[in-house]
């Protein structure tokens, strides 16, 4: 079995504080404080759910990979899904063998949870940006 749990659904937001307030105060969820992720060009906030997480993303720095997405969707929008895998290199090799595109240089980077992550091209996955995270 290659993919496991849905680790998180990421939403790009124009205002992290407003999104935090909405989910914490209106929806009653447990929400983390913002964390800059300079290696990824984003600031993240995590909403803990009983069965998964929501990851709020806001652009950080000049070349944020989510800047254009926010320009196209000024009110925000669902940005990616993250599936868990137990072996990211085996997953990568299988994806490449099946002719699917890995974004960047095919090498995993350390993601928000301190675990290796890869991103797969949205055009190969029904218009959906997919992240895989080794847990
Ligand atoms: C801290 C780590 C954290 C974690 O969970 O561990 C993260 O999740 S970090 C998240 C931020 N980082 C990334 O998203 C890295 C991977 N993403 C990228 O490299 C870009 O977002 C990319 C290449 C997917 C799109 O970049 P951009 O929008 O600047 O490129 P284009 O405008 O050329 O778009 C190409 C084409 O793809 C469509 N697109 C773009 N973003 C998405 C999306 N999120 N979901 C679905 N489709 C998307 C865009 O509309 C273009 O389509 P076209 O038909 O050609 O108009
Ligand atoms: Co993510």
């Amino acid at each position: 079995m290659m993919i496991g749990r849905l680790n998180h659904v990421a939403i790009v937001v124009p205002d992290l504080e407003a999104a935090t307030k909405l989910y914490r105060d209106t929806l009653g969820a447990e929400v983390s404080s913002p964390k800059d992720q300079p290696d990824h060009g984003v600031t993240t906030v995590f909403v803990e759910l009983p069965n998964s997480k929501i990851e709020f993303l806001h652009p950080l720095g000049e070349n944020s990979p989510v800047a254009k997405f926010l320009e196209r969707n000024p009110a925000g929008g669902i940005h990616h899904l993250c599936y868990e895998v137990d072996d990211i290199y085996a997953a990568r090799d299988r994806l490449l063998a099946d002719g699917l595109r890995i974004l960047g240089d095919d090498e995993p980077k350390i993601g928000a949870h301190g675990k290796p992550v890869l991103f797969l091209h949205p055009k190969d996955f029904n218009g959906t940006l997919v992240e895989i995270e080794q847990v």
Side-chain angles (χ1 to χ4, degrees), residues 1-12:
M1 169 71 174
M2 195 157 115
I3 58 170
R5 280 180 71 246
L6 176 69
N7 182 275
H8 61 269
V9 175
I11 302 173
V12 170

Side-chain angles (χ1 to χ4, degrees), residues 8 55 80 131:
H8 61 269
E55 178 185 57
H80 66 267
E131 176 183 13

Side-chain angles (χ1 to χ4, degrees), residues 9-128:
V9 175
I11 302 173
V12 170
V13 299
D15 181 336
L16 282 169
E17 212 174 305
T20 295
K21 197 169 164 2
L22 179 65
Y23 275 66
R24 185 191 57 213
D25 302 345
T26 304
L27 297 186
E30 188 193 323
V31 185
S32 79
S33 49
K35 189 159 186 295
D36 286 352
Q37 304 277 356
D39 285 359
H40 293 271
V42 292
T43 302
T44 59
V45 165
F46 276 92
V47 179
E48 296 297 328
L49 302 176
N51 63 340
S52 189
K53 297 178 182 63
I54 301 298
E55 178 185 57
F56 291 143
L57 296 171
H58 189 74
L60 174 73
E62 288 313 303
N63 309 314
S64 172
V66 303
K68 272 172 80 177
F69 184 93
L70 188 55
E71 278 163 33
R72 283 196 295 267
N73 306 279
I78 293 178
H79 185 259
H80 66 267
L81 305 178
C82 180
Y83 303 119
E84 293 179 357
V85 295
D86 52 16
D87 180 337
I88 200 152
Y89 285 102
R92 179 198 59 186
D93 294 347
R94 173 62 194 270
L95 289 156
L96 291 174
D98 285 7
L100 298 160
R101 290 169 285 181
I102 310 272
L103 294 173
D105 61 1
D106 292 357
E107 280 309 311
K109 282 167 77 172
I110 298 303
H113 303 124
K115 308 269 180 53
V117 300
L118 283 173
F119 285 90
L120 315 181
H121 201 292
K123 297 300 180 198
D124 293 344
F125 285 87
N126 307 111
T128 304

